[in-house]
Amino acid sequence: MSREEELRLNLAEVRARIAKACETADRDPAEVTLLAVTKTFPASDVRLLHGLGLRDFAENKDQEARAKVAELGDLDANWRMVGRLQRNKARSVLTWADRIDSVDSARLVDALVEAAAKNGVHLDVLIQVSIDGDAARGGCPVPDLPDLAARIGRSSELRLRGVMAVAPLGRYPGEAFALLKGAVTRLRDDHPDATVISAGMSGDLEDAIAWGSTCVRVGTALLGSRGLTSP
Ligand SMILES: *Cc1c(COP(=O)(O)O)cnc(C)c1O
């Protein structure tokens, strides 16, 4: 089987899962964006997925993404940064990412504001929320969310478009996604444009859709296993 055929079958399966989850949740599948997480996979795979109709892609490392996106400059595609971002990478990430989904600290907000101002651009961002408050895994703890959102709201360079979360390990994911939904619903009182809920991956996208996810981030189920050496 060719790689294209393999990706076509995987994509059909993922789309069917999304459709079924939406039907169960009585939601319109058009509300749920499929974001293909292409980290560790070559640009050629992105090109094939694009040929199969996908337009939204995510990477988690600045250096890898920058090289990959440069190879794909001819494609009309949206690129999201979903990995931990160091402040000294703020300018670099702006060269390839259309949205930063992993904003989780005031210091990172300030670095992105400065980089965007220097480049004269506006930047869409999501706040990555830490549902269990485990700082080691990144993300803004839920109690700190209003302050971080306000800081983004005060800048003219950044636009807060919503939240992203990874379900904590060893806990029923639905519970985590319910907490996330509550947090973003409160956030929308002051930030009405924060409409994106990026939640759900290959293993838990059904639970995430049941809890209002508008963006599922799928790597393995589309592209296959990343192997043991990769995150
Ligand atoms: C790798 C990654 C994903 C995709 O995970 P899969 O389980 O392979 O679907 C989603 N979100 C983030 C932030 C990731 O780093």
Side-chain angles (χ1 to χ4, degrees):
M1 185 167 38
S2 72
R3 181 64 169 155
E4 181 175 12
E5 198 51 34
E6 194 180 334
L7 294 180
R8 185 192 304 278
L9 290 174
N10 290 349
L11 177 58
E13 204 164 301
V14 170
R15 288 229 190 273
R17 284 177 62 190
I18 294 171
K20 188 153 180 265
C22 285
E23 196 184 316
T24 305
D26 199 15
R27 297 184 56 199
D28 179 355
E31 289 172 17
V32 182
T33 301
L34 172 55
L35 181 54
V37 185
T38 50
K39 65 190 183 200
T40 78
F41 290 96
S44 55
D45 279 349
V46 178
R47 198 172 282 286
L48 289 172
L49 288 173
H50 187 276
L52 294 168
L54 287 188
R55 292 294 177 269
D56 298 286
F57 301 95
E59 290 282 330
N60 73 335
K61 290 202 171 75
D62 173 65
Q63 200 178 358
E64 178 189 345
R66 196 171 169 161
K68 204 177 291 183
V69 177
E71 269 184 67
L72 297 164
D74 57 310
L75 298 187
D76 63 316
N78 305 311
W79 286 97
R80 317 309 193 190
M81 170 58 165
V82 298
R84 288 200 101 168
L85 183 58
Q86 282 158 5
R87 284 174 297 146
N88 61 5
K89 296 286 175 61
R91 281 203 89 177
S92 179
V93 80
L94 289 189
T95 62
W96 62 270
D98 308 297
R99 195 179 73 198
I100 315 289
D101 294 4
S102 45
V103 173
D104 64 355
S105 73
R107 286 170 6 134
L108 181 56
V109 167
D110 295 349
L112 288 171
V113 167
E114 193 185 321
K118 271 191 189 131
N119 288 15
V121 295
H122 293 275
L123 183 64
D124 285 347
V125 300
L126 305 184
I127 294 179
Q128 183 180 348
V129 179
S130 167
I131 295 170
D132 58 1
D134 177 357
R137 294 178 68 227
C140 170
V142 173
D144 300 345
L145 205 48
D147 278 354
L148 193 59
R151 197 178 193 94
I152 294 168
R154 280 194 298 274
S155 86
S156 51
E157 286 81 10
L158 305 191
R159 285 184 295 234
L160 181 60
R161 284 296 150 92
V163 294
M164 171 176 94
V166 180
L169 301 168
R171 187 166 170 185
Y172 170 61
E175 196 185 325
F177 296 140
L179 277 167
L180 180 69
K181 176 147 200 211
V184 73
T185 303
R186 290 190 296 278
L187 201 63
R188 280 187 196 140
D189 289 343
D190 293 324
H191 305 273
D193 295 334
T195 53
V196 175
I197 302 178
S198 175
M201 316 198 295
S202 293
D204 56 16
L205 66 87
E206 285 84 359
D207 283 318
I209 287 171
W211 285 101
S213 170
T214 69
C215 177
V216 292
R217 308 180 305 271
V218 181
T220 313
L222 272 180
L223 290 142
S225 165
R226 286 182 293 274
L228 293 173
T229 54
S230 310

